[in-house]
Amino acid sequence: MTRRQSGRRSRTKTDRKRGRYVQARPANGRTDDIAFDATLRAAAPFQKGRADQKAATGMAYALRKGDLQRKVRVKKTANLILFVVDASWSMAVSERMTATKGAIMSLLTDAYQRRDRVGLIVFQKDRANMILPPTNSVVLAKQALTTIPVGGKTPLSAGLFMAHECVRKEKNLHPDIIPLIILLTDGAGNVSIGKDSPQEEAHRIADSIKLDDIKTVTINMEHVAFDQGLANRLAERLGGPCYTLAQMRADTLLETVRKEMEYNLK
């Protein structure tokens, strides 16, 4: 996949027969979208050695299964940027929530301009809530951000579980969409949704998200003086980078997410 910019101007490899043909690769037994030009080029150096085959078949050009090349196509698609926000902090640190909202708004505006889909999940007290189902409406996003409560316990695993389920549903509805989960938390879950301890449960769900190859960015909301490394350990289980809020001013967060959405064509 190649992700030079986010949004529908991005190019994503697709196995469907729709999309622009950009290169060819060995078919390896798949014959549903053969690149005839590349197949002929692959077979060309061996034509002298296949004189017997051509004589036996009466064909002017001899092809073998190993020559077959399959088309690699790319098509434009959207990204899904899913914010998962820990809203369990005390009012004493609510100023950090204000800074977080500013950073999120920068990303929401950018996503709207690029026609990405954006969603917002907030976890607090004993549950996670889908504050904003995936949409490309920045108006709805602004409304959702103004009503986020602060305080209570930290049902981290509930937030991760809802995020995972949301991405799965979006992938079913839009198979070519590229998801990115942006998790804002200190990593210190203290409420379970099952029988495991809060941290074990959160790490198990994080492993499932990583297994499904969903890209993540974790932003550590803990104050540096009290940081126990929980957010970093969670980010390792998710398989994505971890940044601190101090590193993530609105402009740097925007640039970081853009970089995380970039891929190289392999």
Side-chain angles (χ1 to χ4, degrees), residues 154-264:
T154 310
L156 175 58
S157 53
L160 290 172
F161 180 79
M162 181 174 284
H164 197 187
E165 289 300 301
C166 177
V167 169
R168 284 176 170 174
K169 290 178 182 178
E170 284 292 302
K171 290 287 287 182
N172 286 335
L173 291 171
H174 311 280
D176 293 321
I177 204 166
I178 305 299
L180 171 66
I181 294 175
I182 302 177
L183 174 64
L184 298 100
T185 182
D186 60 5
N190 53 26
V191 178
S192 299
I193 56 177
K195 295 181 179 180
D196 293 337
S197 71
Q199 292 301 114
E200 289 177 350
E201 189 175 70
H203 285 177
R204 177 171 50 80
I205 298 172
D207 291 340
S208 298
I209 292 173
K210 180 180 179 180
L211 190 63
D212 279 352
D213 200 26
I214 300 170
K215 289 185 71 67
T216 62
V217 174
T218 301
I219 299 176
N220 184 3
M221 304 302 296
E222 184 60 279
H223 191 283
V224 64
F226 305 104
D227 191 7
Q228 302 176 42
L230 298 177
N232 275 287
R233 287 199 286 274
L234 180 61
E236 289 176 2
R237 302 295 285 263
L238 287 165
C242 182
Y243 302 97
T244 64
L245 185 60
Q247 296 173 299
M248 294 288 102
R249 300 189 311 272
D251 54 343
T252 55
L253 177 58
L254 178 59
E255 187 60 30
T256 297
V257 172
R258 283 180 176 175
K259 288 179 179 178
E260 290 298 328
M261 297 298 290
E262 290 179 357
Y263 294 77
N264 291 319

Side-chain angles (χ1 to χ4, degrees), residues 78-82 115-119 134-136 170 174 177:
N79 302 311
L80 167 64
I81 302 176
L82 183 61
R115 301 300 186 266
D116 289 333
R117 290 173 65 78
V118 178
T135 179
N136 58 11
E170 284 292 302
H174 311 280
I177 204 166

